Amino acid sequence: MASGGEEPEGAGSLTDQILDLGIKLLKDFIFRYIQRHVESITLSREDLGSEELTESNHKEVAQTMQLIADDLDRNVQLQTMINDPSIRPSFEVFMNIASVIFSDGKFNWFRVVTFFYFVSKLVIRAYKPQILELVRKIINWAIDYLQDNLINWIREQGGWEGIYSYFSTLTLQTWFVFLAGIFTAIVVMRKI
């Protein structure tokens, strides 16, 4: 690190490394989520520009994120709202959902995973065999959002591995309060 707590810019900076891993985790999250939950979609890693995670700690982070997604999947009210056919994958919808997730300016790992989860849901909505342009756009929007809005917070948490300490202290009440905000966002999205 440079003096004053600033990090030198460049290809090998810690922020760049965390962003690169974040991109891999995002694409892996989407790939695994679709593979586990949507039999009718046959996206390959290549289609998503994804590569297999090889380091065990990266695989553990990805697995932890999938466990949180499983909890989100079990919330019937959330699923009813997400599956509303009036919600169409677009940049406006993407930005509205991302903005609501982080509307109070507070960041935590649950919100980051929820962001990945909603990106996956938009990819599923956008998927059309042989036409992957919108899927790739959604992934690029998510990467840009990750880089512009989340990466510094993730770096401050010690990188992606910081997810472990958060989920060991997360309470059920915290989830319900946050999900109430997401429900509100989806209701607003229906009206757009």
Side-chain angles (χ1 to χ4, degrees), residues 13-106:
S13 74
L14 180 59
T15 300
D16 289 340
Q17 292 170 19
I18 293 170
L19 178 60
D20 288 344
L21 178 55
I23 292 168
K24 289 177 185 176
L25 288 168
L26 172 67
K27 292 176 179 181
D28 182 77
F29 185 94
I30 294 166
F31 175 76
R32 289 183 187 277
Y33 186 85
I34 290 171
Q35 192 177 46
R36 290 172 55 218
H37 299 287
V38 189
E39 292 178 16
S40 62
I41 295 180
T42 55
L43 281 173
S44 69
R45 284 189 178 277
E46 185 178 294
D47 292 334
L48 297 173
S50 176
E51 55 189 69
E52 186 82 34
L53 298 175
T54 56
E55 294 186 35
S56 62
N57 59 328
H58 298 167
K59 289 178 181 180
E60 289 175 26
V61 170
Q63 184 177 10
T64 301
M65 295 173 88
Q66 289 295 327
L67 292 173
I68 302 312
D70 291 346
D71 284 342
L72 292 169
D73 276 335
R74 286 189 282 275
N75 186 303
V76 176
Q77 187 178 8
L78 179 63
Q79 293 312 307
T80 301
M81 292 179 172
I82 287 173
N83 293 324
D84 182 336
S86 67
I87 298 175
R88 303 265 186 243
S90 68
F91 184 70
E92 182 180 26
V93 168
F94 170 84
M95 286 305 297
N96 284 332
I97 290 173
S99 295
V100 168
I101 291 172
F102 302 103
S103 64
D104 60 4
K106 295 181 181 175

Side-chain angles (χ1 to χ4, degrees), residues 94-140:
F94 170 84
M95 286 305 297
N96 284 332
I97 290 173
S99 295
V100 168
I101 291 172
F102 302 103
S103 64
D104 60 4
K106 295 181 181 175
F107 299 89
N108 63 47
W109 288 110
F110 182 72
R111 291 177 182 206
V112 172
V113 173
T114 302
F115 172 72
F116 279 33
Y117 180 82
F118 277 104
V119 169
S120 297
K121 291 292 191 173
L122 282 178
V123 164
I124 291 166
R125 263 295 147 97
Y127 175 77
K128 301 277 187 270
Q130 310 303 317
I131 306 173
L132 299 176
E133 182 180 337
L134 185 55
V135 166
R136 290 184 181 122
K137 281 183 181 180
I138 293 168
I139 292 170
N140 286 332

Side-chain angles (χ1 to χ4, degrees), residues 1-15:
M1 291 249 183
S3 62
E6 302 249 340
E7 179 181 348
E9 292 297 318
S13 74
L14 180 59
T15 300

